[in-house]
Amino acid sequence: MLLACASGLIAANIYYAQPLVGPIGAALGLSPRAGGLIVTLTQIGYGLGLLLIVPLGDLVENRKLALALIIVAIAGLLGAAAAPHALPFLAAALLIGIGSVAVQVLVPYAAHMAPEAIRGRVVGNVMSGLMLGIMLARPVASLITELSSWRVVFYLSAVIMAGLAAVLACRLPLRVPVSKLRYGDLLASMGHLVVATPILQRRALYHACLFGAFSLFWTTTPLLLAGPAFHLSQGGIALFALAGVAGAVATPIAGRLADGWSRAATTFAMLAVACAFLMTHVAVEGSALALGLLVAAAILLDFGVAANVTLGQRAIYALGAEYRSRLNGLYMATFFAGGAIGSAVGGWTYAQGGWTLASSVGLALPIIALICHQTERPSDGPR
């Protein structure tokens, strides 16, 4: 429970800015086409942290590493809250992303503690906390912004992170890895893992596509809802984002399915994300039915993405405890790169062609993943 709560609180830092692209961009002087950078820089920082810092979980005592990263996140949150214009904010966003990889030190930490027979269930339970944090971050940020200011969101999170660090320092047991590799050798070994691990290659590709679609959806729908078709306030956007929280129920379910039914569950997750985008074109834009379908699409999309990330983690965690942090870092870095691209492309496509163009790109991504998944062979590794 502690690890699930901690994972959710830390992961939320990456997503507070997602529904606030409009107000933050306006306050800091960013153009609508460049607004996607607000989210993209955080995800780039997260990706860098996954590649360069998370692998240290196979080398450095895990509690100490997680606490150091939380301190980095606090510095980034305070910097974002106080930023006078765009450049300092974007630099702080990068720092927030780097510090938030603490969550990817804690998830493999939970896997290390779990017996093999129920590892999928344990990872699913911790990931449910992480996904709840991701999904609650958007409505909470929108609601706080409507009541006060977007800057308050970052100040409050910094305070929460400080309290969380104190609790984790007191409660987490030590875990000292057995690896004796030097840091340079540790990073060099990651290239070998990528080349020699087909299941990692596939699972990272699948979720890069799905997470790209996820990031595109949640970067552009606040712009759509605040625009002339729906005219929703930040409070209305918060309620819309709150609906997506229902998708977090997928993680414990997926964790159980991963212990035996992974292939079918993966296909279902990809179809769910594709259908979510198709649903948004059934009704006339701006109508009550269109808004209802957009809410249903958000729930279905979040469900599919939450299920697929858990299925992927269970598959790669089965490959070996001695390099679990490196595998996790590579997996997460790849799909967060997909998310960063999805955010940037989402902002640009929405500015160019509205929801029609943005959602068309979003639909293409899970279709690509599904086509690749159908070519998977038993020799590619455990599923």
Side-chain angles (χ1 to χ4, degrees), residues 34-46:
L37 290 174
I38 292 170
V39 178
T40 300
L41 263 292
T42 306
Q43 292 176 332
I44 289 174
Y46 196 77

Side-chain angles (χ1 to χ4, degrees), residues 161-175:
M161 287 299 102
L164 176 64
V167 173
L168 293 180
C170 294
R171 298 296 302 276
L172 285 188
L174 296 175
R175 181 193 169 259

Side-chain angles (χ1 to χ4, degrees), residues 48-62:
L48 290 173
L50 288 168
L51 284 175
L52 301 177
I53 300 175
V54 168
L56 287 170
D58 291 333
L59 194 63
V60 176
E61 196 281 305
N62 286 186

Side-chain angles (χ1 to χ4, degrees), residues 98-263:
I98 292 171
S100 295
V101 297
V103 72
Q104 296 308 331
V105 175
L106 297 179
V107 174
Y109 177 90
H112 283 295
M113 295 169 64
E116 170 64 26
I118 60 166
R119 184 165 292 133
R121 183 182 306 177
V122 170
V123 171
N125 289 341
V126 175
M127 287 298 294
S128 67
L130 185 150
M131 294 306 297
L132 275 171
I134 291 173
M135 294 168 186
L136 284 170
R138 297 185 296 260
V140 166
S142 292
L143 185 60
I144 291 174
T145 299
E146 183 171 54
L147 295 175
S148 54
S149 162
W150 60 264
R151 296 182 187 275
V152 175
V153 175
F154 296 99
Y155 279 127
L156 283 176
S157 185
V159 172
I160 291 169
M161 287 299 102
L164 176 64
V167 173
L168 293 180
C170 294
R171 298 296 302 276
L172 285 188
L174 296 175
R175 181 193 169 259
V176 181
V178 296
S179 175
K180 303 301 180 183
L181 289 174
R182 293 178 300 177
Y183 179 64
D185 296 331
L186 191 76
L187 294 182
S189 70
M190 294 171 71
H192 173 73
L193 288 174
V194 171
V195 173
T197 317
I199 193 63
L200 171 64
Q201 297 166 9
R202 284 186 169 274
R203 284 290 173 178
L205 174 63
Y206 300 161
H207 206 65
C209 290
L210 265 63
F211 199 66
F214 173 91
S215 295
L216 181 148
F217 183 92
W218 286 107
T219 298
T220 55
T221 49
L223 301 174
L224 173 65
L225 293 170
F230 293 100
H231 296 290
L232 292 190
S233 65
Q234 281 296 322
I237 294 171
L239 292 174
F240 170 79
L242 192 60
V245 175
V249 73
T251 48
I253 297 171
R256 285 159 175 78
L257 292 175
D259 292 326
W261 297 89
S262 182
R263 184 176 178 84

